[in-house]
Short mmCIF file of all heavy atoms in Angstrom, two decimals:
data_model
loop_
_atom_site.label_atom_id
_atom_site.label_comp_id
_atom_site.label_asym_id
_atom_site.label_seq_id
_atom_site.Cartn_x
_atom_site.Cartn_y
_atom_site.Cartn_z
N VAL A 245 1.36 -2.37 -31.77
CA VAL A 245 2.20 -2.87 -30.69
C VAL A 245 2.44 -1.76 -29.67
O VAL A 245 2.80 -0.63 -30.05
CB VAL A 245 3.56 -3.38 -31.25
CG1 VAL A 245 4.56 -3.64 -30.11
CG2 VAL A 245 3.34 -4.65 -32.06
N ILE A 246 2.23 -2.10 -28.40
CA ILE A 246 2.38 -1.12 -27.31
C ILE A 246 3.34 -1.68 -26.26
O ILE A 246 3.11 -2.79 -25.75
CB ILE A 246 1.04 -0.83 -26.64
CG1 ILE A 246 -0.02 -0.37 -27.66
CG2 ILE A 246 1.20 0.20 -25.53
CD1 ILE A 246 -1.43 -0.30 -27.11
N ALA A 247 4.37 -0.94 -25.95
CA ALA A 247 5.24 -1.28 -24.81
C ALA A 247 4.77 -0.44 -23.63
O ALA A 247 4.52 0.76 -23.78
CB ALA A 247 6.69 -0.98 -25.14
N THR A 248 4.62 -1.05 -22.46
CA THR A 248 4.08 -0.33 -21.32
C THR A 248 4.79 -0.73 -20.04
O THR A 248 5.40 -1.79 -19.94
CB THR A 248 2.57 -0.64 -21.18
OG1 THR A 248 1.99 0.20 -20.16
CG2 THR A 248 2.32 -2.09 -20.81
N ARG A 249 4.67 0.17 -19.06
CA ARG A 249 5.23 -0.12 -17.72
C ARG A 249 4.52 0.77 -16.69
O ARG A 249 4.62 2.00 -16.73
CB ARG A 249 6.72 0.10 -17.66
CG ARG A 249 7.36 -0.11 -16.28
CD ARG A 249 8.87 0.06 -16.32
NE ARG A 249 9.45 0.17 -15.02
CZ ARG A 249 9.74 -0.84 -14.21
NH1 ARG A 249 9.47 -2.10 -14.61
NH2 ARG A 249 10.27 -0.65 -13.02
N ASN A 250 3.75 0.12 -15.79
CA ASN A 250 3.13 0.80 -14.63
C ASN A 250 2.22 1.97 -15.00
O ASN A 250 2.19 3.00 -14.31
CB ASN A 250 4.22 1.29 -13.66
CG ASN A 250 4.92 0.14 -12.98
OD1 ASN A 250 4.36 -0.95 -12.80
ND2 ASN A 250 6.18 0.36 -12.57
N ARG A 251 1.47 1.83 -16.07
CA ARG A 251 0.52 2.87 -16.47
C ARG A 251 -0.80 2.25 -16.89
O ARG A 251 -1.33 2.51 -17.96
CB ARG A 251 1.06 3.72 -17.63
CG ARG A 251 2.26 4.60 -17.27
CD ARG A 251 2.67 5.36 -18.50
NE ARG A 251 3.79 6.27 -18.25
CZ ARG A 251 4.40 6.96 -19.19
NH1 ARG A 251 4.00 6.88 -20.44
NH2 ARG A 251 5.41 7.77 -18.90
N VAL A 252 -1.34 1.40 -16.06
CA VAL A 252 -2.50 0.60 -16.47
C VAL A 252 -3.71 1.47 -16.77
O VAL A 252 -4.50 1.15 -17.68
CB VAL A 252 -2.82 -0.46 -15.41
CG1 VAL A 252 -3.29 0.17 -14.11
CG2 VAL A 252 -3.85 -1.44 -15.95
N ASP A 253 -3.91 2.57 -16.08
CA ASP A 253 -5.08 3.42 -16.35
C ASP A 253 -4.99 4.09 -17.70
O ASP A 253 -5.95 4.12 -18.48
CB ASP A 253 -5.26 4.46 -15.24
CG ASP A 253 -5.66 3.85 -13.92
OD1 ASP A 253 -6.30 2.78 -13.93
OD2 ASP A 253 -5.31 4.43 -12.85
N GLU A 254 -3.80 4.65 -18.04
CA GLU A 254 -3.61 5.24 -19.36
C GLU A 254 -3.69 4.18 -20.44
O GLU A 254 -4.29 4.40 -21.50
CB GLU A 254 -2.26 5.94 -19.42
CG GLU A 254 -2.19 7.26 -18.69
CD GLU A 254 -1.72 7.06 -17.26
OE1 GLU A 254 -1.80 5.94 -16.75
OE2 GLU A 254 -1.28 8.08 -16.66
N LEU A 255 -3.15 3.01 -20.18
CA LEU A 255 -3.20 1.91 -21.15
C LEU A 255 -4.63 1.50 -21.42
O LEU A 255 -5.02 1.25 -22.58
CB LEU A 255 -2.38 0.73 -20.65
CG LEU A 255 -2.35 -0.51 -21.54
CD1 LEU A 255 -1.78 -0.18 -22.91
CD2 LEU A 255 -1.55 -1.62 -20.87
N THR A 256 -5.46 1.47 -20.38
CA THR A 256 -6.87 1.13 -20.55
C THR A 256 -7.56 2.13 -21.47
O THR A 256 -8.34 1.76 -22.35
CB THR A 256 -7.57 1.10 -19.19
OG1 THR A 256 -6.99 0.05 -18.39
CG2 THR A 256 -9.06 0.86 -19.33
N ARG A 257 -7.26 3.41 -21.28
CA ARG A 257 -7.82 4.45 -22.17
C ARG A 257 -7.39 4.23 -23.59
O ARG A 257 -8.20 4.33 -24.54
CB ARG A 257 -7.42 5.85 -21.70
CG ARG A 257 -7.93 6.99 -22.55
CD ARG A 257 -7.43 8.35 -22.04
NE ARG A 257 -5.96 8.40 -22.07
CZ ARG A 257 -5.23 9.34 -21.44
NH1 ARG A 257 -5.86 10.26 -20.72
NH2 ARG A 257 -3.92 9.32 -21.52
N THR A 258 -6.11 3.96 -23.78
CA THR A 258 -5.57 3.72 -25.12
C THR A 258 -6.25 2.55 -25.81
O THR A 258 -6.67 2.64 -26.99
CB THR A 258 -4.05 3.50 -25.05
OG1 THR A 258 -3.41 4.74 -24.73
CG2 THR A 258 -3.50 3.00 -26.38
N ILE A 259 -6.38 1.44 -25.12
CA ILE A 259 -7.01 0.24 -25.70
C ILE A 259 -8.47 0.56 -26.06
O ILE A 259 -8.97 0.11 -27.10
CB ILE A 259 -6.93 -0.95 -24.74
CG1 ILE A 259 -5.45 -1.31 -24.45
CG2 ILE A 259 -7.67 -2.15 -25.29
CD1 ILE A 259 -4.67 -1.74 -25.67
N THR A 260 -9.14 1.31 -25.21
CA THR A 260 -10.52 1.69 -25.50
C THR A 260 -10.62 2.49 -26.79
O THR A 260 -11.56 2.31 -27.59
CB THR A 260 -11.11 2.48 -24.33
OG1 THR A 260 -11.03 1.69 -23.14
CG2 THR A 260 -12.55 2.86 -24.58
N HIS A 261 -9.67 3.36 -27.03
CA HIS A 261 -9.66 4.14 -28.27
C HIS A 261 -9.33 3.25 -29.47
O HIS A 261 -9.83 3.49 -30.59
CB HIS A 261 -8.61 5.26 -28.21
CG HIS A 261 -9.08 6.46 -27.46
ND1 HIS A 261 -10.05 7.33 -27.94
CD2 HIS A 261 -8.69 6.99 -26.25
CE1 HIS A 261 -10.26 8.31 -27.08
NE2 HIS A 261 -9.44 8.14 -26.04
N LEU A 262 -8.47 2.25 -29.29
CA LEU A 262 -8.05 1.40 -30.39
C LEU A 262 -9.10 0.36 -30.77
O LEU A 262 -9.16 -0.10 -31.90
CB LEU A 262 -6.73 0.71 -30.06
CG LEU A 262 -5.48 1.58 -29.93
CD1 LEU A 262 -4.31 0.76 -29.46
CD2 LEU A 262 -5.17 2.26 -31.29
N GLN A 263 -9.93 -0.02 -29.82
CA GLN A 263 -10.86 -1.14 -30.04
C GLN A 263 -11.77 -0.95 -31.26
O GLN A 263 -11.94 -1.90 -32.04
CB GLN A 263 -11.70 -1.37 -28.78
CG GLN A 263 -12.53 -2.66 -28.84
CD GLN A 263 -13.02 -3.07 -27.44
OE1 GLN A 263 -12.83 -2.35 -26.45
NE2 GLN A 263 -13.61 -4.24 -27.38
N PRO A 264 -12.32 0.23 -31.51
CA PRO A 264 -13.17 0.39 -32.70
C PRO A 264 -12.44 0.21 -34.02
O PRO A 264 -13.10 0.01 -35.05
CB PRO A 264 -13.70 1.84 -32.57
CG PRO A 264 -13.55 2.18 -31.11
CD PRO A 264 -12.33 1.46 -30.67
N LEU A 265 -11.13 0.27 -34.03
CA LEU A 265 -10.36 0.12 -35.27
C LEU A 265 -10.36 -1.32 -35.77
O LEU A 265 -10.06 -1.59 -36.94
CB LEU A 265 -8.91 0.59 -35.09
CG LEU A 265 -8.70 2.01 -34.59
CD1 LEU A 265 -7.22 2.35 -34.59
CD2 LEU A 265 -9.49 3.01 -35.44
N ARG A 266 -10.67 -2.28 -34.87
CA ARG A 266 -10.73 -3.70 -35.21
C ARG A 266 -9.41 -4.20 -35.85
O ARG A 266 -9.42 -4.81 -36.93
CB ARG A 266 -11.91 -3.98 -36.14
CG ARG A 266 -13.27 -3.65 -35.50
CD ARG A 266 -14.42 -4.05 -36.39
NE ARG A 266 -15.70 -3.78 -35.75
CZ ARG A 266 -16.30 -4.59 -34.88
NH1 ARG A 266 -15.72 -5.75 -34.56
NH2 ARG A 266 -17.47 -4.26 -34.36
N VAL A 267 -8.34 -3.89 -35.19
CA VAL A 267 -7.02 -4.36 -35.61
C VAL A 267 -6.42 -5.18 -34.46
O VAL A 267 -6.77 -4.98 -33.30
CB VAL A 267 -6.09 -3.20 -35.96
CG1 VAL A 267 -6.64 -2.41 -37.15
CG2 VAL A 267 -5.86 -2.28 -34.78
N PRO A 268 -5.50 -6.10 -34.79
CA PRO A 268 -4.81 -6.83 -33.72
C PRO A 268 -3.99 -5.86 -32.86
O PRO A 268 -3.36 -4.95 -33.39
CB PRO A 268 -3.91 -7.81 -34.47
CG PRO A 268 -4.46 -7.86 -35.87
CD PRO A 268 -5.07 -6.53 -36.13
N VAL A 269 -4.00 -6.11 -31.57
CA VAL A 269 -3.20 -5.30 -30.62
C VAL A 269 -2.36 -6.23 -29.77
O VAL A 269 -2.89 -7.21 -29.22
CB VAL A 269 -4.09 -4.42 -29.74
CG1 VAL A 269 -3.23 -3.64 -28.72
CG2 VAL A 269 -4.90 -3.44 -30.59
N ILE A 270 -1.07 -5.91 -29.65
CA ILE A 270 -0.15 -6.67 -28.79
C ILE A 270 0.43 -5.70 -27.76
O ILE A 270 1.04 -4.69 -28.13
CB ILE A 270 0.97 -7.32 -29.60
CG1 ILE A 270 0.41 -8.32 -30.62
CG2 ILE A 270 1.97 -8.02 -28.67
CD1 ILE A 270 1.44 -8.91 -31.54
N VAL A 271 0.22 -6.02 -26.48
CA VAL A 271 0.77 -5.22 -25.38
C VAL A 271 1.97 -6.00 -24.81
O VAL A 271 1.83 -7.15 -24.44
CB VAL A 271 -0.28 -4.97 -24.29
CG1 VAL A 271 0.37 -4.37 -23.06
CG2 VAL A 271 -1.36 -4.03 -24.80
N VAL A 272 3.10 -5.34 -24.77
CA VAL A 272 4.30 -5.93 -24.19
C VAL A 272 4.61 -5.20 -22.89
O VAL A 272 4.94 -4.03 -22.89
CB VAL A 272 5.51 -5.83 -25.17
CG1 VAL A 272 6.71 -6.57 -24.58
CG2 VAL A 272 5.14 -6.41 -26.54
N ASP A 273 4.49 -5.93 -21.78
CA ASP A 273 4.67 -5.30 -20.47
C ASP A 273 6.12 -5.38 -20.04
O ASP A 273 6.72 -6.45 -19.94
CB ASP A 273 3.80 -6.00 -19.44
CG ASP A 273 3.90 -5.34 -18.07
OD1 ASP A 273 3.39 -4.20 -17.93
OD2 ASP A 273 4.55 -5.91 -17.18
N ASN A 274 6.68 -4.20 -19.75
CA ASN A 274 8.09 -4.06 -19.35
C ASN A 274 8.26 -4.21 -17.84
O ASN A 274 8.76 -3.30 -17.16
CB ASN A 274 8.59 -2.67 -19.79
CG ASN A 274 9.51 -2.74 -20.99
OD1 ASN A 274 10.16 -3.74 -21.23
ND2 ASN A 274 9.56 -1.68 -21.77
N GLY A 275 7.85 -5.34 -17.30
CA GLY A 275 8.07 -5.62 -15.87
C GLY A 275 7.31 -4.72 -14.94
O GLY A 275 7.85 -4.27 -13.91
N SER A 276 6.02 -4.43 -15.25
CA SER A 276 5.22 -3.57 -14.35
C SER A 276 5.07 -4.18 -12.98
O SER A 276 4.96 -5.39 -12.83
CB SER A 276 3.83 -3.34 -14.98
OG SER A 276 3.91 -2.57 -16.14
N SER A 277 5.04 -3.28 -11.98
CA SER A 277 4.79 -3.72 -10.61
C SER A 277 3.35 -3.49 -10.20
O SER A 277 2.95 -3.84 -9.10
CB SER A 277 5.73 -2.98 -9.64
OG SER A 277 5.57 -1.58 -9.74
N ASP A 278 2.55 -2.88 -11.10
CA ASP A 278 1.13 -2.75 -10.82
C ASP A 278 0.39 -3.96 -11.41
O ASP A 278 1.00 -4.97 -11.71
CB ASP A 278 0.58 -1.40 -11.35
CG ASP A 278 0.71 -1.28 -12.86
OD1 ASP A 278 1.04 -2.28 -13.52
OD2 ASP A 278 0.45 -0.18 -13.39
N ASP A 279 -0.92 -3.84 -11.59
CA ASP A 279 -1.67 -5.00 -12.09
C ASP A 279 -1.98 -4.88 -13.58
O ASP A 279 -3.04 -5.33 -14.03
CB ASP A 279 -2.96 -5.18 -11.28
CG ASP A 279 -3.86 -3.97 -11.33
OD1 ASP A 279 -3.41 -2.90 -11.78
OD2 ASP A 279 -5.03 -4.09 -10.91
N THR A 280 -1.05 -4.33 -14.35
CA THR A 280 -1.24 -4.15 -15.78
C THR A 280 -1.58 -5.46 -16.47
O THR A 280 -2.58 -5.55 -17.21
CB THR A 280 0.03 -3.56 -16.43
OG1 THR A 280 0.20 -2.22 -15.96
CG2 THR A 280 -0.11 -3.54 -17.94
N VAL A 281 -0.79 -6.48 -16.26
CA VAL A 281 -0.98 -7.75 -16.98
C VAL A 281 -2.32 -8.39 -16.64
O VAL A 281 -3.08 -8.81 -17.50
CB VAL A 281 0.19 -8.72 -16.69
CG1 VAL A 281 -0.07 -10.09 -17.31
CG2 VAL A 281 1.50 -8.13 -17.22
N ARG A 282 -2.64 -8.42 -15.35
CA ARG A 282 -3.91 -9.02 -14.93
C ARG A 282 -5.08 -8.28 -15.50
O ARG A 282 -6.03 -8.89 -16.01
CB ARG A 282 -4.00 -9.04 -13.38
CG ARG A 282 -5.27 -9.73 -12.85
CD ARG A 282 -5.47 -9.46 -11.37
NE ARG A 282 -5.71 -8.03 -11.09
CZ ARG A 282 -6.93 -7.47 -11.25
NH1 ARG A 282 -7.95 -8.17 -11.70
NH2 ARG A 282 -7.09 -6.18 -10.97
N ARG A 283 -5.06 -6.95 -15.43
CA ARG A 283 -6.20 -6.19 -15.92
C ARG A 283 -6.34 -6.26 -17.42
O ARG A 283 -7.46 -6.33 -17.96
CB ARG A 283 -6.09 -4.73 -15.47
CG ARG A 283 -6.49 -4.54 -14.01
CD ARG A 283 -6.37 -3.10 -13.57
NE ARG A 283 -7.14 -2.15 -14.39
CZ ARG A 283 -7.18 -0.86 -14.14
NH1 ARG A 283 -6.48 -0.34 -13.13
NH2 ARG A 283 -7.90 -0.05 -14.91
N MET A 284 -5.26 -6.28 -18.15
CA MET A 284 -5.34 -6.40 -19.59
C MET A 284 -5.98 -7.76 -19.98
O MET A 284 -6.86 -7.82 -20.84
CB MET A 284 -3.95 -6.29 -20.24
CG MET A 284 -3.41 -4.88 -20.34
SD MET A 284 -4.41 -3.80 -21.40
CE MET A 284 -5.23 -2.81 -20.15
N ARG A 285 -5.51 -8.82 -19.35
CA ARG A 285 -6.03 -10.15 -19.69
C ARG A 285 -7.48 -10.32 -19.24
O ARG A 285 -8.27 -11.03 -19.92
CB ARG A 285 -5.15 -11.22 -19.06
CG ARG A 285 -3.75 -11.27 -19.75
CD ARG A 285 -2.80 -12.21 -19.05
NE ARG A 285 -1.54 -12.27 -19.80
CZ ARG A 285 -0.44 -12.87 -19.33
NH1 ARG A 285 -0.42 -13.40 -18.12
NH2 ARG A 285 0.67 -12.89 -20.07
N LYS A 286 -7.88 -9.64 -18.19
CA LYS A 286 -9.23 -9.75 -17.70
C LYS A 286 -10.20 -8.86 -18.50
O LYS A 286 -11.26 -9.28 -18.93
CB LYS A 286 -9.30 -9.35 -16.22
CG LYS A 286 -10.71 -9.31 -15.62
CD LYS A 286 -10.65 -8.96 -14.16
CE LYS A 286 -12.06 -8.87 -13.54
NZ LYS A 286 -12.84 -7.74 -14.11
N ASP A 287 -9.82 -7.58 -18.71
CA ASP A 287 -10.73 -6.62 -19.31
C ASP A 287 -10.67 -6.60 -20.83
O ASP A 287 -11.65 -6.22 -21.49
CB ASP A 287 -10.42 -5.21 -18.79
CG ASP A 287 -10.64 -5.07 -17.30
OD1 ASP A 287 -11.37 -5.90 -16.72
OD2 ASP A 287 -10.07 -4.12 -16.69
#
């Protein structure tokens, strides 16, 4: 579980590191004003 806010580039790096672990990941966005939610759902 990851709580995030306005750090989409760092979050992307983190998800990339977690992906090989093959575990469920839940990102909870704390009202970001950048495009965190859109990019997570797209990428």
Side-chain angles (χ1 to χ4, degrees):
V245 169
I246 304 170
T248 188
R249 177 176 166 82
N250 291 333
R251 291 180 178 174
V252 66
D253 291 332
E254 285 92 340
L255 179 60
T256 296
R257 178 183 61 195
T258 289
I259 299 298
T260 301
H261 280 290
L262 293 174
Q263 190 163 5
L265 304 185
R266 298 184 178 277
V267 297
V269 176
I270 298 175
V271 170
V272 184
D273 183 72
N274 254 334
S276 292
S277 57
D278 62 9
D279 58 348
T280 293
V281 174
R282 182 192 65 81
R283 282 180 57 180
M284 283 296 106
R285 291 173 176 169
K286 175 179 179 293
D287 297 340

